[in-house]
Amino acid sequence: MRQEARMTRRKRSTFIEEQKAGAVRLAREFGSVVRAAKDLDLTEFALRHWAQQVKVDKRGGPAPALASNEPEELRRFRRKTRILEQERDFRIEAATYFAKQQDRPSR
């Protein structure tokens, strides 16, 4: 296999929210994600994903998608639910234990 025939992978870049918002704004001005991605040296996939996330954040996107701040809130709710379920289970076990203690004859 020849070296020239192999594709090289792009170095993964990180972007702050302002950069993402600017890129999405530019894509809307151009009217083409492809052109904006090429001009900004981004992948089309990344730019399309950012544009979709902007729609979701504004609640114009598909219903099952989460807004940017919702995953953290969802984690907090799941943790709280887990704790409440553990407390409930403990109370049920304690009530069962004490009910059995009352049924036993005293010595």
Side-chain angles (χ1 to χ4, degrees):
M1 190 153 114
R2 292 189 284 158
Q3 280 288 6
E4 302 93 43
R6 296 167 93 184
M7 291 183 60
T8 58
R9 293 195 74 143
R10 289 175 79 128
K11 184 178 180 234
R12 188 175 180 107
S13 302
T14 55
F15 300 92
I16 60 175
E17 292 303 316
E18 290 81 18
Q19 290 171 319
K20 293 177 183 180
V24 170
R25 216 175 12 258
L26 188 63
R28 287 190 180 143
E29 288 173 11
F30 283 168
S32 169
V33 172
V34 175
R35 183 174 165 209
K38 190 176 282 191
D39 285 355
L40 296 171
D41 193 32
L42 297 170
T43 63
E44 290 175 42
F45 176 80
L47 191 50
R48 285 184 199 282
H49 178 72
W50 297 345
Q52 182 179 5
Q53 189 63 48
V54 167
K55 280 185 185 176
V56 170
D57 288 347
K58 291 181 179 180
R59 279 295 170 213
L66 296 176
S68 296
N69 63 342
E70 289 178 333
E72 178 59 35
E73 186 177 11
L74 187 59
R75 277 192 289 276
R76 282 196 327 267
F77 285 141
R78 286 182 176 158
R79 182 172 186 266
K80 183 68 173 172
T81 301
R82 188 174 60 247
I83 291 169
L84 291 171
E85 288 172 345
Q86 288 172 347
E87 290 173 355
R88 180 203 60 205
D89 293 345
F90 174 77
R91 288 186 179 109
I92 290 171
E93 289 177 20
T96 303
Y97 172 80
F98 287 117
K100 286 180 182 177
Q101 291 298 318
Q102 288 182 347
D103 290 342
R104 291 185 182 169
S106 48
R107 295 180 188 192

